[in-house]
Amino acid sequence: MTIQHLSNKSEWRWIFVSVLLVSIAQLLMKLGMQTLASEWSSIEACGLFKCQWPTLLSLCDPLLYVFTGLSCYVVSMLCWIKGLQKIPLSKAYPVLSLSYVLVYVAAIFIPSLDEPFSWFNTLGISLILFGLYLICSKPIIRSSTNGLKTRNTQ
């Protein structure tokens, strides 16, 4: 794997868990907020403190999604901080772009998000993955005596 030449797998694990949690947070907050948006109009119509209990209880699930998403962000930040203790920022930060990929793919397959598939978006995701590969792979430099060789980045 191209990014593991810097350190061992356990240090990168924190970065990848952080990316996964950020992606989950985005999906949960979208699910919660789109439901809240539709429910909120009925609450505004009757007033927050004058609504009947079933109307107020209908907010529990979407609020749970939003708060769980926010909690995922907090845990993600803790994982990120742990990962940055050993991983250089110049290598770790581009890995966050995997979140774009994960959210796009997951949003297509979660029916309630109603995200359409697009070849144009898929091309963009492919470019993100290719860019990430370029950033995280060992660069090749010219040596005046031996031709091509890989540079030691540690």
Side-chain angles (χ1 to χ4, degrees):
M1 186 172 211
T2 59
I3 60 176
Q4 292 180 4
H5 66 277
L6 293 174
S7 57
N8 67 32
K9 295 177 187 178
S10 65
E11 292 157 350
W12 278 101
R13 192 173 305 139
W14 291 108
I15 299 297
F16 287 117
V17 169
S18 177
V19 169
L20 182 62
L21 287 170
V22 162
S23 303
I24 291 169
Q26 283 295 320
L27 294 166
L28 287 172
M29 289 195 308
K30 174 64 177 176
L31 286 168
M33 291 309 294
Q34 75 183 17
T35 306
L36 275 177
S38 63
E39 295 291 331
W40 197 255
S41 60
S42 62
I43 290 174
E44 284 182 330
C46 66
L48 181 60
F49 297 108
K50 296 178 185 175
C51 282
Q52 297 176 354
W53 278 107
T55 304
L56 292 175
L57 289 176
S58 68
L59 297 178
C60 289
D61 285 343
L63 285 175
L64 182 62
Y65 284 143
V66 171
F67 289 124
T68 304
L70 291 172
S71 299
C72 285
Y73 267 123
V74 170
V75 175
S76 171
M77 186 56 65
L78 296 173
C79 292
W80 184 253
I81 291 168
K82 181 72 174 160
L84 286 182
Q85 289 176 350
K86 301 280 181 160
I87 308 292
L89 185 61
S90 63
K91 294 294 180 182
Y93 192 69
V95 176
L96 280 176
S97 64
L98 284 177
S99 180
Y100 295 122
V101 177
L102 295 173
V103 169
Y104 173 71
V105 171
I108 289 172
F109 289 105
I110 297 174
S112 59
L113 290 179
D114 198 30
E115 292 284 337
F117 173 83
S118 161
W119 284 110
F120 192 70
N121 290 352
T122 304
L123 174 62
I125 293 299
S126 300
L127 290 173
I128 288 171
L129 291 172
F130 181 67
L132 183 62
Y133 170 76
L134 290 177
I135 290 170
C136 292
S137 64
K138 286 186 177 181
I140 297 176
I141 59 171
R142 291 212 178 260
S143 171
S144 59
T145 58
N146 296 342
L148 292 177
K149 68 176 187 177
T150 56
R151 178 178 60 166
N152 184 3
T153 58
Q154 287 186 336

